[in-house]
Amino acid sequence: MPSDQSRPPQPEVFAKHRRRGPSPEAEAAPEGSGTARPVWRRPEAAEPSPPEVREPPRAVAPPPAAPAARPAPPPPPAPPPPPRASARSIEDALAEDEADGGPLPEAEHEPEPEDAPWAISDEDAFRQEMDRLMKGGSSGRHGEYEEGDRVRGKVVQFSGDFAFVDIGAKAEATIPTAELAGEGGEPAVGIGDRIDAHVVAVTSEGIQLSRRMAVEARSREAVREAYASRLPLEGRIVSRNKGGYEVRFQSGQKAFMPVSQVELGHVADDLLDDYVGRSFRLRITKYDGDGRDIVVSRAALQKEEREAQADETRATLRVGDVRTGVVRRLTDFGAFVDLGGVDGLVHASEIAWSRVEKPEDVLRVGQSVRVKVVRLEPEKNRIALSMKQAAGDPWEEVGTRFQVGGVYEGRVTRNETFGSFVELTPGLEGLVHVSRMSWQRVRHPDNVVEPGQAVTVKLVEVDTLRRRLGLSMKDVAGDPWEDHSAGWEPGTLLEGTVEKFAPFGVFVRLAEAITGLVPNEELGMDPAQARRALTPDKPIQVEILSIDRAERRIRLALATGDKAGEREAMKDYRGQQRSAPTKGGSPQGGGGFGTLGDLLKGFKPKG
């Protein structure tokens, strides 16, 4: 038998019709006989014919029809095949073929299909089937969902690094648990909670979700795909230009954002520069073929989020609900508060129980507030809110915390010509009438207190029907007339200080909230001279001439020796005049006292 090196190459006809695995002859070959080679055999449809005498070579005629096409006589009972000494080699088969008239034409043997099931292994068949399924199911759609869609679903199960979310599809979608974790790494949502997410991939294996609104723009292709799939992209505002902002992605590409698209609501001109240097989730609204002209919007994303929140909020909002909202806009008549996709109006009269002149005095944009739903008008898309009702009625504390006769600390909120308003607690104000501000006469509250000043007041009156409180400042320290004037009588000498001058005399302060008047005729000097001699806050000695406690008036005189003697002489003269006999209304005879000047000539001051 020739060696493997000298054996001629195997004809293609044998390669095509070679069976997989060893032939029956190879299997029957004794062990140790070497590697079995496939052996070609003729079909056993007919008995071999006796050898024929070969004619001289002639032109080869077209091959006859395939033997398999000719009807074969019914085979007689086939005797057992004669035993073969050994398996024939390919060389022997070729030699026999030449002796029989040449190789069989290839037309008699149809080529074996390459994709025939028996022509590939099971592993290759499984791989081809998976490729077919993957190609048929990765078109970016899964039923009614496609990449970039915003969906809302319920978490139904946690499994390892993924959570399963029911979004209404035939199978649950998946989302990484890392995107559901809070600050501490623990899941911020649980089974049964509803979440909002975006479809980021649709394959034959299912739908993949993501709560992260940004796609890492690491290449220009990522930016283009974000535009095509309507996925949000994170970009950084690097500068402000005419009409908007310049935005840059991580890929280095630049985009333009109109100033009207930086926020869903109106932004004041003085706040536009505050957005520079900050990163936001953005929606690409325009992208040309090569990415040289890109326009983005932040307001578009905010609008989508608000619309999703608005549907849920409207479905659950009820009159009487107390909710937390964010102040979005301030006007002269109130404040608009965002409840989660929908805005409600807090009228200026509903901001606080106390008087609010301007909402901007007590609120600011972005402030978190608690409000109560007081009215719903779905047909007009209006929601009326109240902050003061959400905080509770402070009048409920009147009679318990605040009682008549109690003394409390307050703050002056405003002054009017008739008095001052004092706030005892947020939403609870009372009036200090001008007559109750001091025991002295007060012409205007501005002369005593000013707005914002802390004062101590006494609750003297409660009008529950009209929700009014009467307060007093002067009653806090008690009545000074009762404390100081108990022993004062005419003739009592006191020390006081000059308070002020008047055309008709000088006012002297005798004690706290007690003032007396020294008339010009009791000064003992010319009024002009008295103004030079008596300076304000200068201590002087005075004498009480008369006191009227009902009217709270005291008449005084300067307590000098000369004036005191003159007053004694005048008193004696008036007494004698009243007791002397008269005729025709004039003193009689020479026994009269003469004139007052004659009477005073003999008066000598006390040494």
Side-chain angles (χ1 to χ4, degrees):
M1 180 179 295
S3 62
D4 295 340
Q5 288 79 5
S6 61
R7 185 179 297 114
Q10 182 178 347
E12 184 65 25
V13 63
F14 296 111
K16 290 186 178 181
H17 294 276
R18 184 169 52 199
R19 291 182 55 184
R20 294 184 180 275
S23 64
E25 291 78 358
E27 293 178 356
E31 296 183 0
S33 60
T35 304
R37 296 187 178 90
V39 179
W40 178 83
R41 294 187 302 174
R42 287 181 179 275
E44 298 179 357
E47 292 293 333
S49 59
E52 298 179 358
V53 179
R54 291 182 176 271
E55 296 180 357
R58 61 180 181 271
V60 180
R70 297 193 297 268
R84 296 180 180 273
S86 61
R88 294 188 300 170
S89 65
I90 297 177
E91 290 81 355
D92 299 336
L94 291 173
E96 183 179 349
D97 181 62
E98 291 178 358
D100 292 341
L104 294 175
E106 293 186 8
E108 295 181 347
H109 304 279
E110 296 181 358
E112 191 175 71
E114 294 182 0
D115 57 350
W118 57 84
I120 59 176
S121 64
D122 294 341
E123 181 180 355
D124 293 338
F126 176 77
R127 185 179 296 107
Q128 290 180 6
E129 180 65 15
M130 288 301 297
D131 291 342
R132 184 184 66 81
L133 293 175
M134 291 294 289
K135 291 179 180 179
S138 60
S139 62
R141 295 190 62 89
H142 191 283
E144 59 181 13
Y145 297 104
E146 60 181 351
E147 294 177 359
D149 286 348
R150 180 184 177 89
V151 297
R152 182 171 180 80
K154 181 173 67 176
V155 178
V156 296
Q157 183 182 356
F158 286 91
S159 178
D161 296 335
F162 291 90
F164 292 89
V165 182
D166 182 9
I167 61 173
K170 294 181 179 180
E172 288 83 6
T174 59
I175 187 172
T177 55
E179 297 192 16
L180 305 179
E183 296 181 358
E186 297 296 328
V189 299
I191 294 178
D193 293 344
R194 294 190 175 273
I195 61 172
D196 294 320
H198 278 77
V199 177
V200 295
V202 179
T203 66
S204 60
E205 299 178 355
I207 302 175
Q208 298 178 15
L209 307 178
S210 175
R211 292 184 74 186
R212 294 175 180 172
M213 301 296 293
V215 176
E216 295 184 358
R218 300 186 183 276
S219 64
R220 293 179 177 269
E221 184 66 19
V223 177
R224 186 193 65 78
E225 291 182 356
Y227 169 73
S229 58
R230 292 185 54 80
L231 284 176
L233 194 68
E234 185 168 322
R236 184 172 181 269
I237 298 178
V238 295
S239 64
R240 181 183 172 192
N241 51 36
K242 184 178 180 180
Y245 300 93
E246 179 181 328
V247 179
R248 184 164 297 176
F249 301 117
Q250 293 182 5
S251 62
Q253 289 178 279
K254 297 180 181 179
F256 172 73
M257 179 167 61
V259 68
S260 61
Q261 298 299 309
V262 73
E263 198 77 48
L264 188 58
H266 174 72
V267 180
D269 293 341
D270 57 343
L271 300 178
L272 292 177
D273 291 336
D274 295 345
Y275 293 90
V276 178
R278 300 170 61 185
S279 297
F280 299 98
R281 300 186 307 269
L282 306 172
R283 171 82 73 200
I284 301 178
T285 58
K286 180 181 179 182
Y287 185 93
D288 68 356
D290 54 2
R292 290 180 301 177
D293 185 12
I294 304 176
V295 180
V296 296
S297 171
R298 178 170 175 250
L301 277 181
Q302 292 179 331
K303 183 178 180 180
E304 293 177 5
E305 295 174 356
R306 284 177 61 84
E307 288 176 352
Q309 292 179 348
D311 294 339
E312 182 179 358
T313 301
R314 291 191 183 96
T316 58
L317 201 62
R318 300 290 183 272
V319 174
D321 289 351
V322 177
R323 302 209 175 187
T324 301
V326 178
V327 178
R328 292 300 184 194
R329 185 160 57 96
L330 296 175
T331 64
D332 293 338
F333 53 84
F336 287 92
V337 178
D338 181 12
L339 299 179
V342 294
D343 288 348
L345 173 63
V346 180
H347 195 268
S349 61
E350 295 293 330
I351 293 178
W353 291 100
S354 57
R355 182 183 178 89
V356 176
E357 295 290 344
K358 296 181 179 180
E360 60 190 28
D361 294 338
V362 294
L363 296 174
R364 67 180 186 278
V365 175
Q367 180 180 346
S368 179
V369 295
R370 283 174 54 84
V371 294
K372 182 178 181 180
V373 181
V374 295
R375 189 172 65 259
L376 293 174
E377 298 181 16
E379 64 281 357
K380 297 182 180 180
N381 197 24
R382 294 179 181 176
I383 302 175
L385 306 174
S386 174
M387 289 176 56
K388 68 180 186 181
Q389 294 187 31
D393 190 353
W395 267 88
E396 296 176 356
E397 297 181 322
V398 176
T400 56
R401 178 183 173 186
F402 300 101
Q403 300 179 359
V404 175
V407 177
Y408 307 99
E409 295 293 328
R411 180 181 62 88
V412 178
T413 57
R414 67 183 188 278
N415 288 335
E416 302 291 346
T417 56
F418 50 84
S420 299
F421 288 91
V422 177
E423 183 182 60
L424 302 181
T425 190
L428 188 63
E429 283 186 346
L431 173 65
V432 179
H433 194 267
V434 67
S435 63
R436 291 174 172 170
M437 302 191 75
S438 175
W439 291 102
Q440 296 176 304
R441 184 178 180 181
V442 177
R443 294 184 177 275
H444 196 279
D446 290 342
N447 300 330
V448 182
V449 294
E450 59 184 10
Q453 179 179 340
V455 294
T456 303
V457 294
K458 184 177 182 179
L459 182 58
V460 296
E461 183 181 359
V462 174
D463 188 346
T464 307
L465 184 61
R466 295 189 294 176
R467 299 171 74 94
R468 294 180 179 179
L469 298 179
L471 306 176
S472 174
M473 293 172 56
K474 70 179 186 180
D475 290 331
V476 174
D479 189 353
W481 277 81
E482 297 178 359
D483 298 336
H484 300 287
S485 66
W488 292 354
E489 297 294 339
T492 303
L493 297 178
L494 300 174
E495 181 176 300
T497 56
V498 176
E499 189 174 78
K500 63 180 180 179
F501 291 93
F504 46 84
V506 179
F507 286 95
V508 179
R509 184 170 61 252
L510 303 177
E512 183 66 28
I514 301 180
T515 301
L517 173 65
V518 179
N520 288 335
E521 59 268 21
E522 301 294 342
L523 290 174
M525 63 187 77
D526 184 78
Q529 183 182 1
R531 288 178 179 273
R532 293 190 296 269
L534 305 176
T535 59
D537 297 329
K538 179 181 180 179
I540 59 174
Q541 293 289 328
V542 293
E543 178 184 358
I544 297 177
L545 299 181
S546 63
I547 182 170
D548 186 347
R549 290 183 172 84
E551 297 293 333
R552 296 179 181 265
R553 294 179 179 178
I554 301 178
R555 182 182 176 87
L556 303 174
L558 292 180
T560 60
D562 294 342
K563 291 296 296 183
E566 290 179 2
R567 284 194 296 274
E568 290 295 333
M570 179 63 68
K571 180 188 289 186
D572 294 341
Y573 172 76
R574 289 176 177 173
Q576 293 175 7
Q577 286 291 96
R578 285 193 297 270
S579 60
T582 60
K583 181 178 180 182
S586 59
Q588 289 291 321
F593 293 98
T595 64
L596 178 60
D598 297 337
L599 180 65
L600 293 177
K601 287 180 180 179
F603 170 75
K604 294 182 180 181
K606 296 181 180 180

